[in-house]
Short mmCIF file of all heavy atoms in Angstrom, two decimals:
data_model
loop_
_atom_site.label_atom_id
_atom_site.label_comp_id
_atom_site.label_asym_id
_atom_site.label_seq_id
_atom_site.Cartn_x
_atom_site.Cartn_y
_atom_site.Cartn_z
N MET A 28 194.54 99.60 -30.64
CA MET A 28 193.46 99.86 -29.73
C MET A 28 194.03 100.41 -28.42
O MET A 28 195.06 99.96 -27.95
CB MET A 28 192.69 98.59 -29.43
CG MET A 28 191.86 98.06 -30.57
SD MET A 28 190.51 99.15 -30.97
CE MET A 28 190.33 98.80 -32.68
N ASP A 29 193.32 101.36 -27.87
CA ASP A 29 193.73 101.93 -26.59
C ASP A 29 193.16 101.15 -25.41
O ASP A 29 193.74 101.15 -24.33
CB ASP A 29 193.27 103.39 -26.49
CG ASP A 29 193.98 104.27 -27.51
OD1 ASP A 29 195.21 104.18 -27.59
OD2 ASP A 29 193.29 105.02 -28.21
N LEU A 30 192.05 100.49 -25.64
CA LEU A 30 191.39 99.75 -24.57
C LEU A 30 190.65 98.58 -25.19
O LEU A 30 190.02 98.71 -26.23
CB LEU A 30 190.38 100.67 -23.86
CG LEU A 30 189.52 100.10 -22.76
CD1 LEU A 30 190.38 99.68 -21.57
CD2 LEU A 30 188.49 101.13 -22.33
N ILE A 31 190.75 97.42 -24.55
CA ILE A 31 190.00 96.25 -24.99
C ILE A 31 189.13 95.80 -23.82
O ILE A 31 189.63 95.55 -22.72
CB ILE A 31 190.92 95.11 -25.45
CG1 ILE A 31 191.72 95.57 -26.68
CG2 ILE A 31 190.11 93.86 -25.76
CD1 ILE A 31 192.75 94.59 -27.16
N ILE A 32 187.83 95.75 -24.06
CA ILE A 32 186.87 95.37 -23.03
C ILE A 32 186.40 93.96 -23.33
O ILE A 32 185.90 93.69 -24.42
CB ILE A 32 185.67 96.34 -23.03
CG1 ILE A 32 186.16 97.76 -22.80
CG2 ILE A 32 184.65 95.91 -21.99
CD1 ILE A 32 185.09 98.82 -23.03
N GLU A 33 186.58 93.08 -22.36
CA GLU A 33 186.11 91.71 -22.52
C GLU A 33 184.74 91.59 -21.87
O GLU A 33 184.56 91.95 -20.72
CB GLU A 33 187.10 90.74 -21.88
CG GLU A 33 188.44 90.78 -22.59
CD GLU A 33 189.15 89.46 -22.59
OE1 GLU A 33 188.52 88.41 -22.36
OE2 GLU A 33 190.35 89.49 -22.84
N ILE A 34 183.80 91.10 -22.66
CA ILE A 34 182.45 90.86 -22.16
C ILE A 34 182.13 89.38 -22.35
O ILE A 34 182.91 88.65 -22.96
CB ILE A 34 181.42 91.78 -22.88
CG1 ILE A 34 181.50 91.60 -24.39
CG2 ILE A 34 181.66 93.22 -22.51
CD1 ILE A 34 180.46 92.39 -25.15
N SER A 35 181.00 88.96 -21.86
CA SER A 35 180.68 87.53 -21.86
C SER A 35 180.66 86.91 -23.26
O SER A 35 181.03 85.76 -23.42
CB SER A 35 179.34 87.29 -21.17
OG SER A 35 178.31 87.99 -21.85
N ASP A 36 180.27 87.66 -24.26
CA ASP A 36 180.18 87.07 -25.60
C ASP A 36 181.19 87.65 -26.60
O ASP A 36 180.97 87.60 -27.80
CB ASP A 36 178.75 87.20 -26.14
CG ASP A 36 178.28 88.64 -26.22
OD1 ASP A 36 178.89 89.50 -25.59
OD2 ASP A 36 177.30 88.89 -26.93
N GLY A 37 182.32 88.19 -26.11
CA GLY A 37 183.34 88.67 -27.03
C GLY A 37 184.16 89.81 -26.46
O GLY A 37 184.23 90.00 -25.25
N ARG A 38 184.77 90.55 -27.38
CA ARG A 38 185.64 91.66 -27.00
C ARG A 38 185.25 92.90 -27.79
O ARG A 38 184.87 92.81 -28.95
CB ARG A 38 187.09 91.31 -27.30
CG ARG A 38 187.58 90.11 -26.55
CD ARG A 38 188.91 89.66 -27.04
NE ARG A 38 189.93 90.55 -26.50
CZ ARG A 38 191.23 90.33 -26.56
NH1 ARG A 38 191.67 89.25 -27.17
NH2 ARG A 38 192.08 91.16 -26.05
N ILE A 39 185.40 94.06 -27.16
CA ILE A 39 185.15 95.34 -27.81
C ILE A 39 186.44 96.14 -27.75
O ILE A 39 187.01 96.33 -26.66
CB ILE A 39 184.02 96.12 -27.11
CG1 ILE A 39 182.72 95.32 -27.14
CG2 ILE A 39 183.82 97.49 -27.78
CD1 ILE A 39 181.62 95.92 -26.29
N GLY A 40 186.91 96.60 -28.88
CA GLY A 40 188.09 97.45 -28.93
C GLY A 40 187.68 98.92 -28.93
O GLY A 40 186.73 99.30 -29.61
N VAL A 41 188.40 99.73 -28.16
CA VAL A 41 188.11 101.16 -28.07
C VAL A 41 189.35 101.93 -28.53
O VAL A 41 190.44 101.72 -27.99
CB VAL A 41 187.72 101.58 -26.64
CG1 VAL A 41 187.42 103.06 -26.57
CG2 VAL A 41 186.54 100.76 -26.13
N GLN A 42 189.17 102.78 -29.51
CA GLN A 42 190.25 103.63 -30.02
C GLN A 42 189.88 105.07 -29.69
O GLN A 42 188.81 105.53 -30.05
CB GLN A 42 190.39 103.46 -31.54
CG GLN A 42 191.49 104.27 -32.16
CD GLN A 42 192.87 103.74 -31.82
OE1 GLN A 42 193.09 102.54 -31.82
NE2 GLN A 42 193.79 104.62 -31.54
N CYS A 43 190.77 105.78 -29.00
CA CYS A 43 190.52 107.17 -28.60
C CYS A 43 191.41 108.10 -29.41
O CYS A 43 192.60 107.85 -29.55
CB CYS A 43 190.80 107.37 -27.13
SG CYS A 43 189.85 106.30 -26.05
N LYS A 44 190.83 109.16 -29.94
CA LYS A 44 191.57 110.13 -30.74
C LYS A 44 191.17 111.54 -30.32
O LYS A 44 190.05 111.78 -29.93
CB LYS A 44 191.25 109.98 -32.24
CG LYS A 44 191.66 108.68 -32.85
CD LYS A 44 193.14 108.65 -33.06
CE LYS A 44 193.54 107.38 -33.78
NZ LYS A 44 194.98 107.24 -33.87
N ARG A 45 192.11 112.44 -30.43
CA ARG A 45 191.82 113.86 -30.26
C ARG A 45 192.13 114.52 -31.59
O ARG A 45 193.27 114.51 -32.04
CB ARG A 45 192.65 114.45 -29.13
CG ARG A 45 192.26 115.87 -28.82
CD ARG A 45 193.03 116.44 -27.65
NE ARG A 45 194.44 116.51 -27.95
CZ ARG A 45 195.40 116.01 -27.19
NH1 ARG A 45 195.11 115.38 -26.09
NH2 ARG A 45 196.66 116.12 -27.54
N CYS A 46 191.14 115.07 -32.24
CA CYS A 46 191.28 115.61 -33.59
C CYS A 46 190.83 117.06 -33.62
O CYS A 46 189.85 117.42 -32.97
CB CYS A 46 190.43 114.82 -34.58
SG CYS A 46 190.81 113.07 -34.61
N PRO A 47 191.50 117.89 -34.41
CA PRO A 47 191.09 119.28 -34.51
C PRO A 47 189.81 119.47 -35.33
O PRO A 47 189.13 120.47 -35.20
CB PRO A 47 192.27 119.95 -35.19
CG PRO A 47 192.94 118.86 -35.95
CD PRO A 47 192.71 117.61 -35.16
N GLY A 48 189.48 118.52 -36.16
CA GLY A 48 188.30 118.64 -37.01
C GLY A 48 187.63 117.29 -37.16
O GLY A 48 187.60 116.49 -36.23
N LYS A 49 187.12 117.03 -38.32
CA LYS A 49 186.46 115.75 -38.58
C LYS A 49 187.49 114.63 -38.65
O LYS A 49 188.63 114.83 -39.05
CB LYS A 49 185.69 115.81 -39.90
CG LYS A 49 184.53 116.77 -39.86
CD LYS A 49 183.79 116.77 -41.18
CE LYS A 49 182.61 117.72 -41.11
NZ LYS A 49 181.87 117.74 -42.36
N ILE A 50 187.05 113.44 -38.31
CA ILE A 50 187.92 112.26 -38.40
C ILE A 50 188.00 111.82 -39.85
O ILE A 50 186.99 111.74 -40.54
CB ILE A 50 187.36 111.13 -37.52
CG1 ILE A 50 187.55 111.49 -36.07
CG2 ILE A 50 188.03 109.82 -37.83
CD1 ILE A 50 187.14 110.41 -35.12
N SER A 51 189.20 111.52 -40.30
CA SER A 51 189.38 111.10 -41.68
C SER A 51 189.01 109.62 -41.85
O SER A 51 188.95 108.86 -40.88
CB SER A 51 190.83 111.31 -42.11
OG SER A 51 191.68 110.43 -41.40
N VAL A 52 188.79 109.24 -43.07
CA VAL A 52 188.46 107.85 -43.39
C VAL A 52 189.60 106.93 -42.98
O VAL A 52 189.36 105.83 -42.49
CB VAL A 52 188.15 107.71 -44.90
CG1 VAL A 52 187.99 106.26 -45.29
CG2 VAL A 52 186.91 108.49 -45.26
N SER A 53 190.84 107.37 -43.13
CA SER A 53 191.98 106.53 -42.78
C SER A 53 192.01 106.18 -41.29
O SER A 53 192.43 105.09 -40.92
CB SER A 53 193.29 107.18 -43.21
OG SER A 53 193.49 108.39 -42.51
N VAL A 54 191.55 107.09 -40.43
CA VAL A 54 191.49 106.81 -38.99
C VAL A 54 190.48 105.69 -38.72
O VAL A 54 190.74 104.78 -37.93
CB VAL A 54 191.14 108.09 -38.20
CG1 VAL A 54 190.83 107.78 -36.76
CG2 VAL A 54 192.27 109.10 -38.30
N VAL A 55 189.35 105.74 -39.38
CA VAL A 55 188.33 104.71 -39.22
C VAL A 55 188.84 103.37 -39.76
O VAL A 55 188.67 102.33 -39.12
CB VAL A 55 187.01 105.12 -39.92
CG1 VAL A 55 185.98 104.01 -39.82
CG2 VAL A 55 186.47 106.41 -39.33
N GLN A 56 189.50 103.41 -40.90
CA GLN A 56 190.04 102.18 -41.49
C GLN A 56 191.09 101.55 -40.58
O GLN A 56 191.14 100.34 -40.41
CB GLN A 56 190.63 102.47 -42.87
CG GLN A 56 189.59 102.77 -43.91
CD GLN A 56 190.20 103.25 -45.22
OE1 GLN A 56 191.30 103.80 -45.26
NE2 GLN A 56 189.45 103.06 -46.30
N GLU A 57 191.92 102.38 -39.97
CA GLU A 57 192.95 101.89 -39.06
C GLU A 57 192.32 101.22 -37.84
O GLU A 57 192.74 100.13 -37.43
CB GLU A 57 193.83 103.06 -38.61
CG GLU A 57 194.92 102.69 -37.64
CD GLU A 57 195.69 103.91 -37.19
OE1 GLU A 57 196.03 104.76 -38.01
OE2 GLU A 57 195.94 103.99 -35.97
N ALA A 58 191.31 101.83 -37.27
CA ALA A 58 190.63 101.25 -36.11
C ALA A 58 189.95 99.93 -36.49
O ALA A 58 189.98 98.96 -35.73
CB ALA A 58 189.61 102.23 -35.55
N TYR A 59 189.36 99.88 -37.67
CA TYR A 59 188.70 98.66 -38.14
C TYR A 59 189.72 97.53 -38.32
O TYR A 59 189.46 96.39 -37.93
CB TYR A 59 187.96 98.92 -39.45
CG TYR A 59 187.13 97.75 -39.89
CD1 TYR A 59 185.88 97.51 -39.34
CD2 TYR A 59 187.59 96.87 -40.86
CE1 TYR A 59 185.12 96.43 -39.72
CE2 TYR A 59 186.85 95.78 -41.26
CZ TYR A 59 185.61 95.57 -40.69
OH TYR A 59 184.86 94.49 -41.07
N ALA A 60 190.89 97.85 -38.87
CA ALA A 60 191.93 96.83 -39.05
C ALA A 60 192.46 96.35 -37.71
O ALA A 60 192.70 95.14 -37.52
CB ALA A 60 193.06 97.40 -39.90
N GLU A 61 192.63 97.26 -36.76
CA GLU A 61 193.11 96.87 -35.43
C GLU A 61 192.10 96.00 -34.71
O GLU A 61 192.46 95.15 -33.89
CB GLU A 61 193.45 98.09 -34.60
CG GLU A 61 194.75 98.75 -35.03
CD GLU A 61 195.20 99.81 -34.04
OE1 GLU A 61 195.01 99.64 -32.82
OE2 GLU A 61 195.74 100.81 -34.50
N LYS A 62 190.82 96.20 -34.98
CA LYS A 62 189.77 95.38 -34.38
C LYS A 62 190.04 93.90 -34.67
O LYS A 62 189.98 93.06 -33.78
CB LYS A 62 188.41 95.79 -34.94
CG LYS A 62 187.27 94.87 -34.59
CD LYS A 62 186.01 95.25 -35.32
CE LYS A 62 185.98 94.76 -36.74
NZ LYS A 62 185.59 93.39 -36.95
N ASP A 63 190.36 93.60 -35.91
CA ASP A 63 190.63 92.21 -36.30
C ASP A 63 191.95 91.71 -35.71
O ASP A 63 192.04 90.55 -35.31
CB ASP A 63 190.64 92.08 -37.82
CG ASP A 63 189.27 92.32 -38.43
OD1 ASP A 63 188.26 92.13 -37.72
OD2 ASP A 63 189.21 92.72 -39.61
N MET A 64 192.96 92.58 -35.64
CA MET A 64 194.25 92.18 -35.09
C MET A 64 194.14 91.78 -33.62
O MET A 64 194.87 90.90 -33.15
CB MET A 64 195.28 93.31 -35.22
CG MET A 64 195.73 93.55 -36.63
SD MET A 64 197.01 94.82 -36.89
CE MET A 64 197.20 95.64 -35.37
N HIS A 65 193.22 92.41 -32.89
CA HIS A 65 193.05 92.14 -31.46
C HIS A 65 191.88 91.21 -31.18
O HIS A 65 191.46 91.07 -30.04
CB HIS A 65 192.90 93.45 -30.70
CG HIS A 65 194.12 94.31 -30.74
ND1 HIS A 65 195.25 94.02 -30.00
CD2 HIS A 65 194.40 95.44 -31.42
CE1 HIS A 65 196.16 94.93 -30.23
NE2 HIS A 65 195.67 95.80 -31.09
N ASP A 66 191.34 90.59 -32.24
CA ASP A 66 190.25 89.62 -32.12
C ASP A 66 189.02 90.20 -31.41
O ASP A 66 188.46 89.57 -30.52
CB ASP A 66 190.76 88.36 -31.41
CG ASP A 66 189.81 87.20 -31.59
OD1 ASP A 66 189.14 87.13 -32.65
OD2 ASP A 66 189.73 86.36 -30.68
N CYS A 67 188.64 91.41 -31.82
CA CYS A 67 187.46 92.06 -31.26
C CYS A 67 186.30 91.93 -32.25
O CYS A 67 186.48 92.12 -33.45
CB CYS A 67 187.72 93.54 -31.00
SG CYS A 67 189.03 93.83 -29.81
N GLY A 68 185.13 91.64 -31.73
CA GLY A 68 183.95 91.53 -32.58
C GLY A 68 183.38 92.90 -32.94
O GLY A 68 182.75 93.07 -33.97
N GLU A 69 183.62 93.88 -32.08
CA GLU A 69 183.11 95.25 -32.27
C GLU A 69 184.22 96.24 -31.96
O GLU A 69 185.20 95.90 -31.29
CB GLU A 69 181.93 95.52 -31.31
CG GLU A 69 180.78 94.56 -31.42
CD GLU A 69 179.91 94.81 -32.62
OE1 GLU A 69 179.86 95.97 -33.08
OE2 GLU A 69 179.27 93.87 -33.10
N PHE A 70 184.04 97.48 -32.45
CA PHE A 70 184.97 98.52 -32.03
C PHE A 70 184.23 99.83 -31.86
O PHE A 70 183.17 100.06 -32.45
CB PHE A 70 186.15 98.66 -32.98
CG PHE A 70 185.87 99.42 -34.26
CD1 PHE A 70 186.18 100.76 -34.37
CD2 PHE A 70 185.30 98.79 -35.35
CE1 PHE A 70 185.93 101.46 -35.54
CE2 PHE A 70 185.04 99.48 -36.52
CZ PHE A 70 185.36 100.82 -36.61
N LEU A 71 184.78 100.66 -31.00
CA LEU A 71 184.23 101.98 -30.72
C LEU A 71 185.33 102.99 -30.98
O LEU A 71 186.44 102.84 -30.47
CB LEU A 71 183.77 102.07 -29.27
CG LEU A 71 183.35 103.44 -28.76
CD1 LEU A 71 182.05 103.88 -29.43
CD2 LEU A 71 183.19 103.41 -27.26
N LEU A 72 185.04 103.98 -31.78
CA LEU A 72 186.00 105.04 -32.06
C LEU A 72 185.51 106.29 -31.36
O LEU A 72 184.46 106.83 -31.69
CB LEU A 72 186.10 105.26 -33.57
CG LEU A 72 187.09 106.30 -34.06
CD1 LEU A 72 188.49 105.99 -33.58
CD2 LEU A 72 187.06 106.37 -35.57
N TYR A 73 186.23 106.71 -30.32
CA TYR A 73 185.85 107.88 -29.53
C TYR A 73 186.81 109.01 -29.86
O TYR A 73 188.02 108.81 -29.87
CB TYR A 73 185.92 107.56 -28.03
CG TYR A 73 185.68 108.77 -27.17
CD1 TYR A 73 184.39 109.19 -26.90
CD2 TYR A 73 186.73 109.50 -26.65
CE1 TYR A 73 184.16 110.31 -26.14
CE2 TYR A 73 186.50 110.62 -25.89
CZ TYR A 73 185.21 111.02 -25.64
OH TYR A 73 184.99 112.14 -24.89
N TYR A 74 186.27 110.19 -30.14
CA TYR A 74 187.16 111.32 -30.37
C TYR A 74 186.63 112.56 -29.70
O TYR A 74 185.44 112.69 -29.43
CB TYR A 74 187.39 111.55 -31.86
CG TYR A 74 186.27 112.25 -32.60
CD1 TYR A 74 186.37 113.60 -32.91
CD2 TYR A 74 185.14 111.57 -33.00
CE1 TYR A 74 185.36 114.25 -33.59
CE2 TYR A 74 184.12 112.21 -33.68
CZ TYR A 74 184.24 113.55 -33.97
OH TYR A 74 183.24 114.18 -34.65
N SER A 75 187.56 113.45 -29.38
CA SER A 75 187.19 114.71 -28.74
C SER A 75 187.85 115.85 -29.51
O SER A 75 188.87 115.68 -30.15
CB SER A 75 187.63 114.73 -27.28
OG SER A 75 189.03 114.73 -27.19
N ARG A 76 187.24 117.00 -29.41
CA ARG A 76 187.80 118.20 -30.02
C ARG A 76 187.21 119.42 -29.33
O ARG A 76 186.14 119.35 -28.72
CB ARG A 76 187.53 118.26 -31.51
CG ARG A 76 186.06 118.39 -31.84
CD ARG A 76 185.84 118.49 -33.30
NE ARG A 76 184.39 118.52 -33.55
CZ ARG A 76 183.85 118.42 -34.71
NH1 ARG A 76 184.60 118.28 -35.76
NH2 ARG A 76 182.55 118.46 -34.86
N ARG A 77 187.90 120.51 -29.43
CA ARG A 77 187.42 121.76 -28.87
C ARG A 77 187.07 122.67 -30.03
O ARG A 77 187.88 122.90 -30.91
CB ARG A 77 188.49 122.43 -28.00
CG ARG A 77 188.90 121.67 -26.78
CD ARG A 77 187.93 121.71 -25.66
NE ARG A 77 187.41 122.99 -25.31
CZ ARG A 77 187.22 123.41 -24.08
NH1 ARG A 77 187.59 122.65 -23.08
NH2 ARG A 77 186.67 124.56 -23.83
N GLU A 78 185.89 123.18 -30.04
CA GLU A 78 185.44 124.09 -31.10
C GLU A 78 185.79 125.54 -30.80
O GLU A 78 185.82 126.37 -31.66
CB GLU A 78 183.92 123.98 -31.28
CG GLU A 78 183.45 122.61 -31.71
CD GLU A 78 183.51 122.42 -33.21
OE1 GLU A 78 183.51 123.41 -33.93
OE2 GLU A 78 183.54 121.27 -33.64
N ASP A 79 186.05 125.84 -29.51
CA ASP A 79 186.23 127.23 -29.11
C ASP A 79 187.68 127.70 -29.12
O ASP A 79 187.98 128.80 -28.69
CB ASP A 79 185.62 127.47 -27.74
CG ASP A 79 186.21 126.57 -26.67
OD1 ASP A 79 187.19 125.87 -26.94
OD2 ASP A 79 185.67 126.59 -25.55
N GLY A 80 188.61 126.86 -29.56
CA GLY A 80 190.01 127.25 -29.66
C GLY A 80 190.81 127.05 -28.38
O GLY A 80 192.02 127.19 -28.39
N ARG A 81 190.16 126.73 -27.27
CA ARG A 81 190.88 126.49 -26.02
C ARG A 81 191.47 125.08 -26.03
O ARG A 81 190.99 124.21 -26.73
CB ARG A 81 189.96 126.65 -24.82
CG ARG A 81 189.43 128.05 -24.67
CD ARG A 81 188.59 128.20 -23.45
NE ARG A 81 187.59 127.13 -23.37
CZ ARG A 81 186.73 126.99 -22.37
NH1 ARG A 81 186.73 127.83 -21.39
NH2 ARG A 81 185.86 126.00 -22.38
N LYS A 82 192.51 124.88 -25.24
CA LYS A 82 193.09 123.55 -25.12
C LYS A 82 192.16 122.66 -24.32
O LYS A 82 191.54 123.10 -23.36
CB LYS A 82 194.43 123.63 -24.40
CG LYS A 82 195.53 124.30 -25.19
CD LYS A 82 196.77 124.43 -24.37
CE LYS A 82 197.67 123.28 -24.64
NZ LYS A 82 198.96 123.38 -23.93
N ASP A 83 192.03 121.41 -24.73
CA ASP A 83 191.23 120.50 -23.93
C ASP A 83 192.07 119.96 -22.76
O ASP A 83 193.27 120.11 -22.73
CB ASP A 83 190.65 119.37 -24.78
CG ASP A 83 191.69 118.49 -25.43
OD1 ASP A 83 192.83 118.47 -24.95
OD2 ASP A 83 191.35 117.82 -26.40
N LYS A 84 191.43 119.36 -21.80
CA LYS A 84 192.12 118.89 -20.60
C LYS A 84 193.09 117.76 -20.93
O LYS A 84 194.09 117.60 -20.24
CB LYS A 84 191.11 118.44 -19.56
CG LYS A 84 190.33 119.59 -18.99
CD LYS A 84 189.35 119.14 -17.94
CE LYS A 84 188.58 120.33 -17.44
NZ LYS A 84 187.59 119.99 -16.46
N CYS A 85 192.85 117.01 -21.97
CA CYS A 85 193.75 115.90 -22.33
C CYS A 85 195.13 116.41 -22.71
O CYS A 85 196.13 115.77 -22.41
CB CYS A 85 193.18 115.10 -23.49
SG CYS A 85 191.70 114.18 -23.08
N SER A 86 195.21 117.54 -23.37
CA SER A 86 196.52 118.03 -23.81
C SER A 86 197.40 118.40 -22.63
O SER A 86 198.60 118.31 -22.70
CB SER A 86 196.37 119.21 -24.76
OG SER A 86 195.64 120.24 -24.16
N SER A 87 196.82 118.79 -21.50
CA SER A 87 197.61 119.12 -20.33
C SER A 87 198.13 117.87 -19.63
O SER A 87 199.07 117.92 -18.84
CB SER A 87 196.82 119.97 -19.34
OG SER A 87 195.73 119.23 -18.83
N LEU A 88 197.55 116.72 -19.92
CA LEU A 88 197.98 115.46 -19.33
C LEU A 88 199.08 114.78 -20.13
O LEU A 88 199.60 113.77 -19.73
CB LEU A 88 196.79 114.50 -19.20
CG LEU A 88 195.65 114.96 -18.31
CD1 LEU A 88 194.49 113.99 -18.40
CD2 LEU A 88 196.11 115.08 -16.87
N GLY A 89 199.39 115.30 -21.31
CA GLY A 89 200.42 114.73 -22.15
C GLY A 89 199.96 113.52 -22.93
O GLY A 89 200.77 112.69 -23.32
N SER A 90 198.67 113.39 -23.15
CA SER A 90 198.18 112.26 -23.94
C SER A 90 198.52 112.48 -25.40
O SER A 90 198.76 113.59 -25.84
CB SER A 90 196.67 112.09 -23.75
OG SER A 90 196.00 113.22 -24.19
N ARG A 91 198.51 111.40 -26.17
CA ARG A 91 198.86 111.55 -27.58
C ARG A 91 197.64 111.62 -28.44
O ARG A 91 196.58 111.28 -28.18
CB ARG A 91 199.76 110.43 -28.06
CG ARG A 91 199.31 109.08 -27.67
CD ARG A 91 200.35 108.06 -28.01
NE ARG A 91 199.89 106.82 -27.43
CZ ARG A 91 199.49 105.77 -28.13
NH1 ARG A 91 199.53 105.80 -29.41
NH2 ARG A 91 199.09 104.70 -27.54
#
């Protein structure tokens, strides 16, 4: 998980991905497994992509 948010009734895990196309099933399965490892009741999978071929701003920051 890239971010764990603690709320009054539990924890939410957030996984961020930058993908050139659709997210694969294995990415979702990995996030789901990490949810349990970090004792999160919920998880959010956020992803970004550019459809126009330009680099997104994240790539200039050196994010993975």
Side-chain angles (χ1 to χ4, degrees):
M28 290 293 151
D29 294 311
L30 177 65
I31 297 175
I32 302 169
E33 296 212 19
I34 55 176
S35 60
D36 59 343
R38 299 170 77 169
I39 300 171
V41 180
Q42 181 72 41
C43 302
K44 296 285 185 187
R45 187 177 63 232
C46 303
K49 294 181 179 181
I50 289 185
S51 67
V52 172
S53 63
V54 170
V55 177
Q56 289 172 334
E57 179 183 316
Y59 187 80
E61 285 190 36
K62 170 187 79 82
D63 293 335
M64 289 183 351
H65 295 286
D66 195 31
C67 298
E69 303 284 333
F70 78 97
L71 171 70
L72 182 57
Y73 174 82
Y74 78 101
S75 66
R76 65 178 176 189
R77 296 285 312 221
E78 297 275 338
D79 58 8
R81 296 183 311 178
K82 291 175 95 176
D83 62 21
K84 292 181 181 179
C85 291
S86 57
S87 65
L88 298 174
S90 62
R91 47 188 172 112

